[in-house]
Amino acid sequence: MIVLKLGGSVITAKDRAETLDGEALDRAADAIADARDGSGDEDLVIVHGGGSFGHHHASEHGVTTTEGTRDADAVLDIHGAMKTLNQFVLSRLAARDVDAVPVHPFSAARRNSDGDLHLTTEQVETMLAEGFVPVLHGDVVAHAGAGATVVSGDELVAALARDLAADRVGLCSTVPGVLDERDAVIGRITDFESVADVLGASDATDVTGGMAGKVRTLLDLEPAASIFGLDDLGAFLGGENPGTTIE
């Protein structure tokens, strides 16, 4: 079973509000469709990031994974933008005969008063058993004592990987892996301290922690995870471990 994240920066023009990168999304959808044709019965769950859709509105309203809002209009702005992006992803996959269906975290997840994420995954398991490809996305979720906060795609990947006992986890990024100070791909990461100096914030608006946040999250997972570029998406889905392996 594979949990795959399509980074928001991959499928959108993240520096321009609500702007889709249609060419990149088409390439991603092609790779996923080709892999489904080749593997047939392998379970796949997809998560996509917010890119210029969710991050733009979350930043405007001052909502992050820890700073919440009780303004329903803010929640609707963020969630509505993410549903729009999710529909773009679903339509591209459907056009390639991938049986993709939506799972909106706003209705399936919550945070407790300590900020811990609780994602209901029974419906995802049932979808997989019935042959569907569930597609989740970064979103806002109800947060006890804080109104609503952002849940990142990386958090969802981690929760799904744990609850569904994923065999493989992959994050498709705008870079070919985690890069060192010379912009060379770091082949393997086993602890955060060894790469802390070279991990910076995202180049565009990102309220969920950038590459540093991804690495921290993936280090806590049981299966090894891969961070790779769009060019290597097909290779990852074909069973290879391109880019950076985090374990």
Side-chain angles (χ1 to χ4, degrees), residues 15-100:
D15 58 346
R16 297 196 300 275
E18 294 198 29
T19 303
L20 186 73
D21 188 333
E23 180 181 355
L25 180 54
D26 281 337
R27 290 177 59 198
D30 284 341
I32 292 166
D34 289 345
R36 299 295 291 170
D37 287 341
S39 64
D41 59 357
E42 187 165 29
D43 287 340
L44 174 65
V45 179
I46 299 172
V47 179
H48 65 79
S52 63
F53 286 73
H55 286 294
H56 169 74
H57 291 283
S59 180
E60 280 204 336
H61 290 291
V63 184
T64 69
T65 55
T66 56
E67 296 296 323
T69 181
R70 292 183 174 86
D71 181 352
D73 288 338
V75 172
L76 291 173
D77 282 349
I78 301 166
H79 179 62
M82 287 310 304
K83 286 181 66 178
T84 297
L85 179 56
N86 185 246
Q87 189 57 50
F88 280 129
V89 175
L90 292 170
S91 64
R92 294 301 206 280
L93 292 171
R96 293 159 175 82
D97 296 323
V98 176
D99 294 319

Side-chain angles (χ1 to χ4, degrees), residues 175-186 198 203:
V175 290
V178 181
L179 305 179
D180 64 17
E181 62 275 4
R182 299 182 301 278
D183 287 338
V185 174
I186 301 171
V198 299
D203 290 337

Side-chain angles (χ1 to χ4, degrees), residues 108-161:
R110 64 179 178 86
R111 291 192 193 277
N112 64 20
S113 57
D114 293 327
D116 298 323
L117 177 67
H118 295 268
L119 174 67
T120 304
T121 54
E122 286 87 351
Q123 77 273 46
V124 175
E125 291 183 271
T126 303
M127 290 173 182
L128 290 170
E130 297 304 317
F132 296 111
V133 176
V135 183
L136 295 82
H137 53 83
D139 207 346
V140 282
V141 293
H143 186 151
T149 54
V150 168
V151 59
S152 72
D154 298 333
E155 290 179 286
L156 295 170
V157 165
L160 290 162

